mmCIF file of all heavy atoms in Angstrom:
data_model
loop_
_atom_site.group_PDB
_atom_site.id
_atom_site.type_symbol
_atom_site.label_atom_id
_atom_site.label_comp_id
_atom_site.label_asym_id
_atom_site.label_seq_id
_atom_site.Cartn_x
_atom_site.Cartn_y
_atom_site.Cartn_z
ATOM 1 N N GLY H 1 11.731 -1.478 10.599
ATOM 2 C CA GLY H 1 11.805 -2.749 11.314
ATOM 3 C C GLY H 1 10.678 -3.751 10.775
ATOM 4 O O GLY H 1 10.130 -4.551 11.418
ATOM 5 N N ALA H 2 10.687 -3.734 9.485
ATOM 6 C CA ALA H 2 9.761 -4.735 8.766
ATOM 7 C C ALA H 2 10.378 -5.847 7.975
ATOM 8 O O ALA H 2 11.629 -5.657 7.432
ATOM 9 C CB ALA H 2 8.897 -3.901 7.803
ATOM 10 N N PRO H 3 9.826 -6.995 7.786
ATOM 11 C CA PRO H 3 10.438 -8.012 6.999
ATOM 12 C C PRO H 3 10.419 -7.556 5.617
ATOM 13 O O PRO H 3 9.322 -6.917 5.032
ATOM 14 C CB PRO H 3 9.393 -9.185 7.182
ATOM 15 C CG PRO H 3 8.791 -8.863 8.528
ATOM 16 C CD PRO H 3 8.679 -7.389 8.506
ATOM 17 N N VAL H 4 11.341 -7.926 4.720
ATOM 18 C CA VAL H 4 11.424 -7.474 3.332
ATOM 19 C C VAL H 4 10.231 -8.105 2.577
ATOM 20 O O VAL H 4 9.643 -7.369 1.656
ATOM 21 C CB VAL H 4 12.743 -7.939 2.640
ATOM 22 C CG1 VAL H 4 12.777 -7.555 1.215
ATOM 23 C CG2 VAL H 4 13.886 -7.355 3.299
ATOM 24 N N ALA H 5 9.695 -9.305 2.907
ATOM 25 C CA ALA H 5 8.632 -9.951 2.263
ATOM 26 C C ALA H 5 7.295 -9.154 2.340
ATOM 27 O O ALA H 5 6.389 -9.379 1.524
ATOM 28 C CB ALA H 5 8.533 -11.443 2.719
ATOM 29 N N GLU H 6 7.222 -8.296 3.450
ATOM 30 C CA GLU H 6 5.972 -7.578 3.714
ATOM 31 C C GLU H 6 6.131 -6.057 3.256
ATOM 32 O O GLU H 6 5.427 -5.231 3.682
ATOM 33 C CB GLU H 6 5.715 -7.639 5.204
ATOM 34 C CG GLU H 6 5.424 -9.091 5.655
ATOM 35 C CD GLU H 6 5.291 -9.123 7.189
ATOM 36 O OE1 GLU H 6 5.320 -8.016 7.869
ATOM 37 O OE2 GLU H 6 4.993 -10.239 7.697
ATOM 38 N N THR H 7 7.264 -5.773 2.543
ATOM 39 C CA THR H 7 7.558 -4.399 2.246
ATOM 40 C C THR H 7 7.699 -4.088 0.671
ATOM 41 O O THR H 7 8.168 -4.973 -0.024
ATOM 42 C CB THR H 7 8.884 -4.027 2.867
ATOM 43 O OG1 THR H 7 8.786 -4.377 4.216
ATOM 44 C CG2 THR H 7 9.128 -2.595 2.615
ATOM 45 N N ALA H 8 7.241 -2.906 0.198
ATOM 46 C CA ALA H 8 7.322 -2.620 -1.117
ATOM 47 C C ALA H 8 7.697 -1.078 -1.155
ATOM 48 O O ALA H 8 7.483 -0.340 -0.270
ATOM 49 C CB ALA H 8 6.073 -2.844 -1.928
ATOM 50 N N LEU H 9 8.299 -0.758 -2.311
ATOM 51 C CA LEU H 9 8.572 0.736 -2.605
ATOM 52 C C LEU H 9 7.524 1.151 -3.585
ATOM 53 O O LEU H 9 7.229 0.616 -4.620
ATOM 54 C CB LEU H 9 9.902 0.949 -3.183
ATOM 55 C CG LEU H 9 11.079 0.686 -2.119
ATOM 56 C CD1 LEU H 9 12.480 0.787 -2.860
ATOM 57 C CD2 LEU H 9 11.053 1.427 -0.813
ATOM 58 N N VAL H 10 6.792 2.364 -3.292
ATOM 59 C CA VAL H 10 5.877 2.985 -4.248
ATOM 60 C C VAL H 10 6.327 4.510 -4.392
ATOM 61 O O VAL H 10 7.276 4.883 -3.852
ATOM 62 C CB VAL H 10 4.366 2.899 -3.715
ATOM 63 C CG1 VAL H 10 4.011 1.378 -3.659
ATOM 64 C CG2 VAL H 10 4.305 3.512 -2.428
ATOM 65 N N GLU H 11 5.643 5.057 -5.243
ATOM 66 C CA GLU H 11 6.008 6.550 -5.622
ATOM 67 C C GLU H 11 5.963 7.504 -4.558
ATOM 68 O O GLU H 11 6.913 8.285 -4.391
ATOM 69 C CB GLU H 11 5.147 7.002 -6.818
ATOM 70 C CG GLU H 11 5.225 6.114 -8.137
ATOM 71 C CD GLU H 11 4.428 5.043 -8.254
ATOM 72 O OE1 GLU H 11 3.990 4.456 -7.236
ATOM 73 O OE2 GLU H 11 4.076 4.736 -9.416
ATOM 74 N N ASN H 12 4.794 7.549 -3.765
ATOM 75 C CA ASN H 12 4.771 8.579 -2.714
ATOM 76 C C ASN H 12 3.556 8.123 -1.783
ATOM 77 O O ASN H 12 2.890 6.989 -2.015
ATOM 78 C CB ASN H 12 4.446 9.925 -3.225
ATOM 79 C CG ASN H 12 3.258 9.988 -4.228
ATOM 80 O OD1 ASN H 12 2.147 9.467 -3.881
ATOM 81 N ND2 ASN H 12 3.342 10.622 -5.339
ATOM 82 N N ALA H 13 3.444 8.795 -0.726
ATOM 83 C CA ALA H 13 2.419 8.393 0.358
ATOM 84 C C ALA H 13 0.987 8.416 -0.199
ATOM 85 O O ALA H 13 0.118 7.537 0.216
ATOM 86 C CB ALA H 13 2.587 9.266 1.563
ATOM 87 N N THR H 14 0.715 9.307 -1.180
ATOM 88 C CA THR H 14 -0.722 9.275 -1.610
ATOM 89 C C THR H 14 -0.979 7.960 -2.487
ATOM 90 O O THR H 14 -2.082 7.395 -2.366
ATOM 91 C CB THR H 14 -0.957 10.611 -2.535
ATOM 92 O OG1 THR H 14 -0.593 11.686 -1.770
ATOM 93 C CG2 THR H 14 -2.264 10.619 -2.994
ATOM 94 N N VAL H 15 0.075 7.634 -3.168
ATOM 95 C CA VAL H 15 -0.171 6.381 -3.901
ATOM 96 C C VAL H 15 -0.243 5.175 -2.908
ATOM 97 O O VAL H 15 -1.050 4.190 -3.118
ATOM 98 C CB VAL H 15 1.124 6.013 -4.848
ATOM 99 C CG1 VAL H 15 1.081 4.661 -5.410
ATOM 100 C CG2 VAL H 15 1.184 7.042 -5.960
ATOM 101 N N ALA H 16 0.585 5.168 -1.812
ATOM 102 C CA ALA H 16 0.425 4.185 -0.826
ATOM 103 C C ALA H 16 -0.989 4.068 -0.220
ATOM 104 O O ALA H 16 -1.531 2.952 -0.058
ATOM 105 C CB ALA H 16 1.405 4.326 0.191
ATOM 106 N N ALA H 17 -1.534 5.288 0.074
ATOM 107 C CA ALA H 17 -2.906 5.330 0.601
ATOM 108 C C ALA H 17 -3.889 4.807 -0.402
ATOM 109 O O ALA H 17 -4.765 4.123 -0.104
ATOM 110 C CB ALA H 17 -3.302 6.753 0.961
ATOM 111 N N ALA H 18 -3.593 5.084 -1.813
ATOM 112 C CA ALA H 18 -4.508 4.572 -2.722
ATOM 113 C C ALA H 18 -4.563 3.071 -2.813
ATOM 114 O O ALA H 18 -5.496 2.348 -3.013
ATOM 115 C CB ALA H 18 -4.235 5.253 -4.112
ATOM 116 N N VAL H 19 -3.279 2.442 -2.666
ATOM 117 C CA VAL H 19 -3.194 1.111 -2.661
ATOM 118 C C VAL H 19 -4.014 0.410 -1.552
ATOM 119 O O VAL H 19 -4.539 -0.699 -1.645
ATOM 120 C CB VAL H 19 -1.669 0.667 -2.447
ATOM 121 C CG1 VAL H 19 -1.470 -0.777 -2.116
ATOM 122 C CG2 VAL H 19 -0.914 0.934 -3.638
ATOM 123 N N VAL H 20 -3.987 1.038 -0.408
ATOM 124 C CA VAL H 20 -4.706 0.511 0.820
ATOM 125 C C VAL H 20 -6.233 0.679 0.541
ATOM 126 O O VAL H 20 -6.943 -0.327 0.738
ATOM 127 C CB VAL H 20 -4.306 1.287 2.082
ATOM 128 C CG1 VAL H 20 -5.264 0.943 3.220
ATOM 129 C CG2 VAL H 20 -2.952 1.071 2.495
ATOM 130 N N PHE H 21 -6.592 1.789 0.035
ATOM 131 C CA PHE H 21 -7.985 1.987 -0.286
ATOM 132 C C PHE H 21 -8.513 1.113 -1.414
ATOM 133 O O PHE H 21 -9.667 0.674 -1.312
ATOM 134 C CB PHE H 21 -8.248 3.491 -0.675
ATOM 135 C CG PHE H 21 -8.081 4.533 0.380
ATOM 136 C CD1 PHE H 21 -7.679 5.826 0.084
ATOM 137 C CD2 PHE H 21 -8.270 4.172 1.679
ATOM 138 C CE1 PHE H 21 -7.487 6.719 1.059
ATOM 139 C CE2 PHE H 21 -7.945 5.065 2.630
ATOM 140 C CZ PHE H 21 -7.697 6.327 2.405
ATOM 141 N N ARG H 22 -7.658 0.774 -2.237
ATOM 142 C CA ARG H 22 -8.037 -0.249 -3.249
ATOM 143 C C ARG H 22 -8.401 -1.580 -2.755
ATOM 144 O O ARG H 22 -9.413 -2.124 -3.176
ATOM 145 C CB ARG H 22 -6.791 -0.367 -4.325
ATOM 146 C CG ARG H 22 -7.099 -1.312 -5.511
ATOM 147 C CD ARG H 22 -5.959 -1.619 -6.303
ATOM 148 N NE ARG H 22 -6.227 -2.572 -7.461
ATOM 149 C CZ ARG H 22 -5.264 -3.182 -7.890
ATOM 150 N NH1 ARG H 22 -4.002 -3.317 -7.519
ATOM 151 N NH2 ARG H 22 -5.566 -4.180 -9.002
ATOM 152 N N ARG H 23 -7.653 -1.951 -1.746
ATOM 153 C CA ARG H 23 -8.055 -3.250 -1.019
ATOM 154 C C ARG H 23 -9.334 -3.095 -0.273
ATOM 155 O O ARG H 23 -10.304 -3.777 -0.369
ATOM 156 C CB ARG H 23 -6.949 -3.762 -0.075
ATOM 157 C CG ARG H 23 -7.305 -4.826 0.756
ATOM 158 C CD ARG H 23 -6.222 -5.220 1.682
ATOM 159 N NE ARG H 23 -6.735 -6.073 2.818
ATOM 160 C CZ ARG H 23 -6.816 -7.434 2.633
ATOM 161 N NH1 ARG H 23 -6.524 -8.028 1.570
ATOM 162 N NH2 ARG H 23 -7.320 -8.228 3.619
ATOM 163 N N TRP H 24 -9.326 -1.921 0.478
ATOM 164 C CA TRP H 24 -10.640 -1.683 1.236
ATOM 165 C C TRP H 24 -11.965 -1.608 0.430
ATOM 166 O O TRP H 24 -12.915 -2.094 0.834
ATOM 167 C CB TRP H 24 -10.494 -0.525 2.125
ATOM 168 C CG TRP H 24 -9.508 -0.745 3.224
ATOM 169 C CD1 TRP H 24 -8.875 -1.968 3.641
ATOM 170 C CD2 TRP H 24 -8.989 0.278 4.192
ATOM 171 N NE1 TRP H 24 -7.957 -1.639 4.631
ATOM 172 C CE2 TRP H 24 -8.032 -0.424 4.967
ATOM 173 C CE3 TRP H 24 -9.222 1.594 4.349
ATOM 174 C CZ2 TRP H 24 -7.354 0.291 6.009
ATOM 175 C CZ3 TRP H 24 -8.591 2.315 5.290
ATOM 176 C CH2 TRP H 24 -7.634 1.648 6.102
ATOM 177 N N SER H 25 -11.797 -1.047 -0.794
ATOM 178 C CA SER H 25 -12.916 -0.802 -1.607
ATOM 179 C C SER H 25 -13.487 -2.007 -2.272
ATOM 180 O O SER H 25 -14.502 -1.907 -2.804
ATOM 181 C CB SER H 25 -12.575 0.230 -2.803
ATOM 182 O OG SER H 25 -11.669 -0.365 -3.524
ATOM 183 N N SER H 26 -12.732 -3.205 -2.177
ATOM 184 C CA SER H 26 -13.279 -4.323 -2.671
ATOM 185 C C SER H 26 -14.457 -4.947 -1.779
ATOM 186 O O SER H 26 -15.208 -5.699 -2.195
ATOM 187 C CB SER H 26 -12.164 -5.521 -2.749
ATOM 188 O OG SER H 26 -11.662 -5.750 -1.400
#
């Protein structure tokens, strides 16, 4: 139920978590 513009495909859930943590760690 998400807009395509707000969505991406990544390798797995651990990578997705790392993407989030990368933003937070700034």
Side-chain angles (χ1 to χ4, degrees):
V4 178
E6 299 175 357
T7 307
L9 295 178
V10 296
E11 294 92 328
N12 55 46
T14 305
V15 170
V19 168
V20 175
F21 292 153
R22 182 185 180 208
R23 172 183 166 84
W24 290 353
S25 64
S26 65

